Amino acid sequence: MNFEKGLLYLPKIREGVKIELHRKFDDKVKSVTISRTNEGKYYASILVETQNPRNKVVEPKSRACGIDLGLEHFVTVTNDFRSYKVEHPKYLLKGEERLKRLQKSFSKKQKGSKNSEKARLRLARQHAYITNARNDFLHKLSKAIIDENQVVVVEDIHVKGLLKTRLAKSIADSGWSKFLSYLKYKAEWYGRTFIQVDRFFPSSKLCHRCGYKNDDLTLHDRTWCCPACGETHDRDENASINLYYVGLGRPEVTPVEQALVDDRSPNGLPKKPSCDETGSLTSYG
Ligand SMILES: [Zn+2]
């Protein structure tokens, strides 16, 4: 290897082959395998003998983090320092639009024709691009989260699976299960704790501030106001804070729905929560 020039020397190719290098190594090369993909790209897989099989383990800055999986945003994360949202990368959204166009164009071409073969190649290339780009995004994000936190808490993915009927495509595309599997094995590699909460843990419905459980929350409520303490919640952020608390070892915020708040109407039936003018963002009824 010549790292400066980006050249790989192979038997019988004395001048070397220009390659796109993904990482440097200073270990002894054992073997090189060259492969060619469907879309006509060449890959060189280099096996090296090394003393350090894994990347360096860094000290986590944050004790824990909670991760809410979203549709509008890819994830909402809360750790010791802040809550933040990570968007679906624009290049992926654009790449998927292009994929759809190429699929259409391919299906219109006459089977077996030259143009059809060209369209098939373009489609295969775009498929490979999207897969690689998404994996890259998921690897970088999961690695950053694992580096930063000692305990990583996520919700049970089956809860979100309930949305499948309407949003199957966007869920499949969002790569949640792959993301969780990356988090899980990286946590093992780097000595972190990965927790997936029980599907019955109401991470979205609990007020992270006082523990009130809002059973009236619907899938469409993006924000809600806690009738017990008056706090206004961003749905995803509140969920990620509750998951963060699980990571800190306080999954049970003392429920106050019976103890401190009388949310029943005079005839004894539960009444819908309502907020005062200043805090109200969600309308009920
Ligand atoms: Zn509250």
Side-chain angles (χ1 to χ4, degrees):
M1 276 301 311
N2 183 333
F3 287 115
E4 265 149 50
K5 291 184 181 160
L7 290 175
L8 172 67
Y9 298 103
L10 295 166
K12 291 184 188 171
I13 309 180
R14 216 186 296 160
E15 66 273 28
V17 184
K18 186 99 184 133
I19 62 166
E20 205 172 300
L21 197 68
H22 295 283
R23 71 172 72 158
K24 272 192 175 180
F25 51 87
D26 46 17
D27 314 283
K28 198 174 159 224
V29 175
K30 300 289 284 182
S31 72
V32 180
T33 308
I34 310 290
S35 58
R36 184 179 180 277
T37 64
N38 260 348
E39 76 275 12
K41 271 190 177 175
Y42 288 90
Y43 283 87
S45 167
I46 303 171
L47 179 70
V48 295
E49 198 175 76
T50 173
Q51 301 301 317
N52 324 299
R54 272 156 211 168
N55 296 340
K56 269 189 204 126
V57 178
V58 296
E59 264 314 295
K61 290 191 198 89
S62 165
R63 290 165 296 167
C65 81
I67 304 173
D68 178 77
L69 305 164
L71 290 169
E72 281 169 58
H73 318 277
F74 181 64
V75 287
T76 306
V77 183
T78 295
N79 61 20
D80 284 359
F81 314 109
R82 63 189 178 128
S83 291
Y84 61 96
K85 290 173 192 284
V86 179
E87 309 292 335
H88 294 271
K90 282 225 172 67
Y91 57 84
L92 270 184
L93 300 176
K94 276 190 187 156
E96 267 153 26
E97 276 167 29
R98 183 169 142 80
L99 189 70
K100 266 182 221 153
R101 281 201 306 275
L102 291 176
Q103 265 157 351
K104 229 184 208 170
S105 139
F106 172 60
S107 67
K108 276 183 189 159
K109 299 277 186 303
Q110 200 189 339
K111 296 276 164 306
S113 68
K114 253 188 189 168
N115 280 336
S116 164
E117 176 57 18
K118 268 188 205 159
R120 188 196 67 77
L121 253 168
R122 270 198 295 270
L123 186 58
R125 245 178 238 144
Q126 186 65 8
H127 250 299
Y129 165 76
I130 299 246
T131 308
N132 291 339
R134 176 172 296 117
N135 284 344
D136 183 59
F137 163 65
L138 296 176
H139 273 302
K140 280 176 181 154
L141 181 61
S142 56
K143 177 66 163 60
I145 287 173
I146 289 293
D147 274 349
E148 196 171 17
N149 303 283
Q150 180 54 48
V151 179
V152 175
V153 186
V154 298
E155 61 195 313
D156 189 312
I157 202 161
H158 293 105
V159 176
K160 298 271 158 133
L162 294 175
L163 303 167
K164 247 178 192 164
T165 42
R166 273 181 307 131
L167 299 156
K169 175 92 172 88
S170 74
I171 285 176
D173 285 352
S174 63
W176 284 341
S177 55
K178 205 176 235 180
F179 179 60
L180 295 190
S181 73
Y182 288 179
L183 280 174
K184 198 174 173 184
Y185 85 74
K186 286 185 210 293
E188 264 171 43
W189 276 20
Y190 296 99
R192 309 297 208 245
T193 306
F194 176 81
I195 299 172
Q196 197 158 13
V197 298
D198 185 83
R199 73 170 73 184
F200 299 109
F201 180 71
S203 56
S204 299
K205 289 180 176 177
L206 285 181
C207 167
H208 75 80
R209 197 168 151 208
C210 74
Y212 177 86
K213 191 174 159 209
N214 184 357
D215 279 317
D216 288 338
L217 193 72
T218 72
L219 287 171
H220 305 288
D221 296 327
R222 303 313 306 163
T223 57
W224 60 282
C225 176
C226 175
C229 72
E231 180 92 349
T232 299
H233 298 301
D234 170 280
R235 180 203 184 90
D236 301 337
E237 191 177 304
N238 179 60
S240 75
I241 294 172
N242 282 322
L243 294 166
Y244 165 68
Y245 284 157
V246 172
L248 289 184
R250 333 185 249 163
E252 313 297 341
V253 194
T254 321
V256 296
E257 53 188 326
Q258 281 111 30
L260 299 174
V261 180
D262 184 5
D263 61 352
R264 293 165 303 173
S265 58
N267 59 15
L269 292 168
K271 103 188 152 194
K272 292 207 167 180
S274 62
C275 277
D276 57 43
E277 308 287 299
T278 47
S280 179
L281 270 172
T282 315
S283 61
Y284 296 93

Tab-separated table of all heavy atoms in Angstrom, residues 207 209-212 226-231 233, ligand 1:
chain	number	residue	atom	x	y	z
A	207	CYS	N	-45.463	12.095	31.853
A	207	CYS	CA	-44.863	13.421	31.992
A	207	CYS	C	-43.516	13.223	32.679
A	207	CYS	O	-43.458	12.666	33.770
A	207	CYS	CB	-45.767	14.324	32.826
A	207	CYS	SG	-44.947	15.855	33.355
A	209	ARG	N	-41.701	15.254	34.033
A	209	ARG	CA	-41.475	16.125	35.163
A	209	ARG	C	-42.158	15.608	36.428
A	209	ARG	O	-41.560	15.568	37.496
A	209	ARG	CB	-41.980	17.527	34.814
A	209	ARG	CG	-41.421	18.568	35.737
A	209	ARG	CD	-41.705	19.957	35.203
A	209	ARG	NE	-41.810	20.890	36.309
A	209	ARG	CZ	-42.533	21.979	36.280
A	209	ARG	NH1	-43.247	22.285	35.198
A	209	ARG	NH2	-42.566	22.777	37.312
A	210	CYS	N	-43.426	15.197	36.301
A	210	CYS	CA	-44.139	14.799	37.509
A	210	CYS	C	-44.621	13.353	37.487
A	210	CYS	O	-45.075	12.833	38.502
A	210	CYS	CB	-45.327	15.727	37.757
A	210	CYS	SG	-46.701	15.431	36.624
A	211	GLY	N	-44.518	12.684	36.340
A	211	GLY	CA	-44.897	11.280	36.298
A	211	GLY	C	-46.356	11.024	35.953
A	211	GLY	O	-46.793	9.879	35.915
A	212	TYR	N	-47.118	12.084	35.687
A	212	TYR	CA	-48.518	11.911	35.292
A	212	TYR	C	-48.579	11.100	33.996
A	212	TYR	O	-47.775	11.306	33.091
A	212	TYR	CB	-49.182	13.275	35.082
A	212	TYR	CG	-50.617	13.188	34.600
A	212	TYR	CD1	-51.665	13.064	35.512
A	212	TYR	CD2	-50.914	13.226	33.234
A	212	TYR	CE1	-52.976	12.971	35.068
A	212	TYR	CE2	-52.222	13.136	32.787
A	212	TYR	CZ	-53.246	13.010	33.706
A	212	TYR	OH	-54.543	12.917	33.266
A	226	CYS	N	-49.112	18.867	30.304
A	226	CYS	CA	-49.428	18.005	31.442
A	226	CYS	C	-50.466	18.691	32.328
A	226	CYS	O	-50.216	19.787	32.832
A	226	CYS	CB	-48.168	17.701	32.239
A	226	CYS	SG	-48.520	16.752	33.741
A	227	PRO	N	-51.620	18.047	32.519
A	227	PRO	CA	-52.662	18.661	33.341
A	227	PRO	C	-52.291	18.673	34.826
A	227	PRO	O	-52.874	19.413	35.596
A	227	PRO	CB	-53.882	17.777	33.095
A	227	PRO	CG	-53.327	16.480	32.652
A	227	PRO	CD	-52.021	16.751	31.976
A	228	ALA	N	-51.324	17.877	35.222
A	228	ALA	CA	-50.951	17.817	36.640
A	228	ALA	C	-49.964	18.909	37.019
A	228	ALA	O	-50.105	19.547	38.058
A	228	ALA	CB	-50.375	16.439	36.961
A	229	CYS	N	-48.963	19.137	36.174
A	229	CYS	CA	-47.936	20.112	36.565
A	229	CYS	C	-47.853	21.298	35.612
A	229	CYS	O	-47.124	22.250	35.867
A	229	CYS	CB	-46.559	19.440	36.683
A	229	CYS	SG	-45.839	18.977	35.114
A	230	GLY	N	-48.567	21.240	34.481
A	230	GLY	CA	-48.617	22.385	33.574
A	230	GLY	C	-47.473	22.463	32.581
A	230	GLY	O	-47.410	23.379	31.769
A	231	GLU	N	-46.583	21.499	32.626
A	231	GLU	CA	-45.438	21.503	31.697
A	231	GLU	C	-45.909	21.171	30.279
A	231	GLU	O	-46.735	20.284	30.082
A	231	GLU	CB	-44.417	20.458	32.167
A	231	GLU	CG	-43.187	20.359	31.308
A	231	GLU	CD	-42.044	21.257	31.807
A	231	GLU	OE1	-42.301	22.099	32.699
A	231	GLU	OE2	-40.929	21.100	31.302
A	233	HIS	N	-45.018	19.656	26.672
A	233	HIS	CA	-44.051	18.682	26.175
A	233	HIS	C	-44.027	18.596	24.662
A	233	HIS	O	-45.053	18.567	24.017
A	233	HIS	CB	-44.389	17.281	26.692
A	233	HIS	CG	-44.330	17.151	28.166
A	233	HIS	ND1	-43.190	17.404	28.881
A	233	HIS	CD2	-45.275	16.773	29.074
A	233	HIS	CE1	-43.429	17.194	30.168
A	233	HIS	NE2	-44.684	16.820	30.312
B	1	ZN	ZN	-46.509	16.768	34.728
